[in-house]
Amino acid sequence: MDTDPGILCFQHCSCKVFCFELPERCPICSTALSTANFRLLPFRIPYPFVRAIQHPCSVVIKPTSGDFLHDYLNSMDLHIGVTNSEGTVVEFDRRFATA
Ligand SMILES: [Zn+2]
């Protein structure tokens, strides 16, 4: 079973920051975040590593070989598909679609 660690995102100055806990200071410019004005207020990101069958009517992406947590490098090909209303994955290959 997948475990959601609670990934947060915020932007104070020049870059978006992804973290598990909101830091006291901005890691980019070191401004104290308790009194700072955010460009993007902190929000929790939906956990991206889920079972496709539990998410009907969704776009799903996986590495062509292996999985994101153990095998993926950003130079590797991705495999994309969608799930129907029953959660069945419909994959699209380069030349044809398969169900
Ligand atoms: Zn900053």
Side-chain angles (χ1 to χ4, degrees):
M1 179 159 192
D2 301 313
T3 303
D4 183 351
I7 303 169
L8 302 174
C9 176
F10 72 90
Q11 183 173 2
H12 170 252
C13 49
S14 61
C15 298
K16 287 181 183 167
V17 175
F18 298 90
C19 54
F20 296 115
E21 291 182 19
L22 199 59
E24 290 184 19
R25 296 189 170 275
C26 173
I28 309 300
C29 69
S30 300
T31 297
L33 292 178
S34 60
T35 57
N37 291 320
F38 287 84
R39 293 179 74 178
L40 178 63
L41 288 170
F43 65 97
R44 188 170 174 167
I45 295 176
Y47 187 59
F49 303 113
V50 296
R51 296 179 196 281
I53 197 167
Q54 296 170 333
H55 294 270
C57 305
S58 299
V59 174
V60 292
I61 298 171
K62 69 178 281 302
T64 299
S65 302
D67 63 58
F68 279 112
L69 294 178
H70 300 99
D71 311 299
Y72 182 68
L73 300 172
N74 63 7
S75 60
M76 296 173 70
D77 288 337
L78 294 175
H79 207 73
I80 190 167
V82 295
T83 56
N84 65 16
S85 61
E86 297 175 345
T88 301
V89 178
V90 180
E91 298 178 86
F92 295 94
D93 203 342
R94 288 182 182 160
R95 290 170 282 154
F96 57 89
T98 58

